[in-house]
Amino acid sequence: MTAPAAERARRTTYTYFAAFVAIGMSGGLLGPALPHLAEMTGAGMGQIAILFTARALGNMLGSLLSGALVDRLPGHRVLMGMLALMALGLVAVPFSQALAALTALVFLLGVSEVSVNAGANTLLLWTHGPASPPWISALHFCFGLGNMLVPLLLVAALAMTGQFQWAFWLVALYALLLLVPLARQPSPAMPAPRPGTEASRPAPDPWRLVLFLLLFGLYVGAEVTFAGWITAYATLIGTPPASAALLVTLFWVTLSAGRLLAIPLLRRITPWRVLRLCLGLGFVATLALHFGWLPLPAVALLFGLASSAIFPTLFGLANQLMTMDGRTTGLIFLAAGSGAMAVPSLAGPLLEWAGTGAFPPLLFGLVGLKAAGLVLLRRRVRRGEAGHR
């Protein structure tokens, strides 16, 4: 890559980083703002849980749309359209005092957020090729950074104005500002296969893809469940609302820091070991929550660290083991949306039916399913490598 081309690639990559901060902030608003949205609409915790289902359904549709659009249209046009849609939805949320209207808007936000997410991931792979893994970790750090900052923005908005609406409007403004650099930069194109790489790549294995999709779905389901419900869980067990809202920030602090740590870590140990380490920390965090070994802030920090490297490491591993075009990336985010719909939507009714004691076992079970899926994937890859030899 020539020096001017490398400089253009860096500028484009930094724009994707800024876009990931925006979608991290947009997605991260739902959890901390959930009590305010419930009060605004007059809905109970079991009813307001439909927002997670709506967002996940939007994620699923957006995954299919983004995969098709990025393969056929200039990628930056796709990102610009989805960022504009996201900003429009954020502006309208505080005016939607009926639960049905709010649900429809959250669905549109789900479409736009995951389209930017999947699109930027694909374009980043096309920009950097085999050198993309460190950039992927940095990209997902920016997503965590947005999630980490937005509860603080909500707390500041409440302290300064007494209204949660300003947090939504400020994030919308930030998203609109990103349209300018995206319009000025050319969209990356899917690179042609390098000579010799096709022969060295194993034959496509549908079951390998299925296991990857399962792991992505379970991971996102666990992440969204913790980030979306830890504030409500803490409030239900008697934690003051301001302190409960900050638990999400603590979760995203260590999730973001862990993604930075994963950049040098992946140069020293295999992705498989990184994933096993994360799952081990997840088991410790959920047991500590269940048995009260640690205070809630410490559990949030530990679970964030346990979650930190899973998505970018899985994504980089998938790029090593499969061909990653817009369609495959879309399928990954479709699976992620399915997990985000299936798991968090159960948490509200579960808390109402079984009480707060059901929340830690739910998280523990999700970590256990991820561990089982990783074992199956490793066996499948080894079998494929043996057959390829």
Side-chain angles (χ1 to χ4, degrees), residues 40-231:
M40 180 183 76
T41 58
M45 283 299 172
Q47 294 173 306
I48 204 70
I50 196 175
L51 297 183
F52 291 104
T53 304
R55 181 182 171 190
L57 287 172
N59 286 167
M60 294 167 70
L61 176 60
S63 301
L64 296 174
L65 283 176
S66 62
L69 292 175
V70 170
D71 282 342
R72 291 170 174 79
L73 299 175
H76 286 186
R77 292 186 185 179
V78 177
L79 297 186
M80 290 170 63
M82 292 302 173
L83 283 169
L85 179 63
M86 186 179 81
L88 179 64
L90 288 168
V91 168
V93 160
F95 298 105
S96 306
Q97 298 189 6
L99 183 59
L102 181 62
T103 302
L105 280 175
V106 171
F107 173 82
L108 289 178
L109 287 174
V111 171
S112 59
E113 290 163 6
V114 83
S115 296
V116 177
N117 196 332
N121 269 288
T122 303
L123 296 174
L124 186 69
L125 290 176
W126 293 356
T127 299
H128 294 282
S132 60
W135 296 104
I136 293 171
S137 290
L139 184 73
H140 288 270
F141 162 77
C142 293
F143 182 83
L145 180 63
N147 276 272
M148 177 182 69
L149 291 175
V150 79
L152 301 177
L153 180 63
L154 179 61
V155 170
L158 290 170
M160 295 175 66
T161 68
Q163 297 179 322
F164 74 93
Q165 292 91 330
W166 281 101
F168 285 84
W169 295 336
L170 290 172
V171 176
L173 176 62
Y174 173 65
L176 289 175
L177 293 175
L178 295 175
L179 301 183
V180 176
L182 283 170
R184 292 177 176 175
Q185 296 164 357
S187 302
M190 184 176 180
R194 293 180 300 160
T197 57
E198 291 300 314
S200 63
R201 187 181 294 273
D205 180 1
W207 283 107
R208 183 182 300 184
L209 175 60
V210 167
L211 288 169
F212 267 114
L213 298 181
L214 174 65
L215 284 167
F216 279 111
L218 288 170
Y219 166 74
V220 174
E223 178 191 288
V224 174
T225 298
F226 190 91
W229 284 103
I230 189 62
T231 298

